[in-house]
Amino acid sequence: MFNTQDGVIITTYNSRAKDSQKKLFGSDVVFHNYLEEMKSGESIPTLRAVIQTDVFNEGTRSVAKAAYEAQDLDFVHGHSLGWRNWTSAERPYFFLTFLGADNVMGVVHLLTDHSVAVAKKVITEIRT
């Protein structure tokens, strides 16, 4: 789903179970679909957020679980209880660990592979 007017990309059911080397990177698929959603001749809006819901990747869930438990926060049955912000200034170790998780790496690839189109945006916060 895309909200091109507000510069938001929302992905659902995030899993690598069916990925293959022959397909485009997920970041490329998302970016091309985002462009298709825009009206002909419309300029690319400033990308404000990428929202991922329903993350089923066990590696990403393991990273989240470890981060929550290290902060004495509740993480039950693969889900956090309440929202937490992870920034490089406040929690640099966990922020960088999240950046390396498969689901977040897709966003990193999106921002680096299409840096000019997204005005050289960087990830400043990860909210789980």
Side-chain angles (χ1 to χ4, degrees), residues 21-128:
Q21 296 288 8
K22 296 178 183 179
K23 295 182 182 178
L24 289 172
F25 281 119
S27 59
D28 290 327
V29 172
V30 169
F31 182 74
H32 292 293
N33 287 338
Y34 185 64
L35 292 179
E36 287 176 12
E37 286 289 316
M38 297 172 57
K39 295 181 178 144
S40 178
E42 189 176 45
S43 63
I44 298 172
T46 300
L47 183 63
R48 290 185 36 248
V50 176
I51 301 167
Q52 297 180 337
T53 64
D54 301 321
V55 174
F56 292 98
N57 180 286
E58 288 303 318
T60 300
R61 283 183 166 193
S62 295
V63 168
K65 184 176 189 297
Y68 272 75
E69 289 176 350
Q71 299 285 310
D72 290 324
L73 301 170
D74 292 324
F75 194 86
V76 180
H77 305 294
H79 299 282
S80 60
L81 303 177
W83 292 100
R84 299 289 181 255
N85 295 331
W86 309 90
T87 66
S88 61
E90 295 172 10
R91 297 181 175 113
Y93 174 79
F94 298 111
F95 178 77
L96 293 174
T97 302
F98 272 110
L99 280 181
D102 284 341
N103 290 87
V104 181
M105 281 303 296
V107 178
V108 172
H109 287 297
L110 172 72
L111 297 179
T112 56
D113 294 347
H114 307 285
S115 64
V116 173
V118 297
K120 299 184 180 181
K121 293 289 182 187
V122 296
I123 299 172
T124 58
E125 177 181 57
I126 298 170
R127 191 170 188 201
T128 60

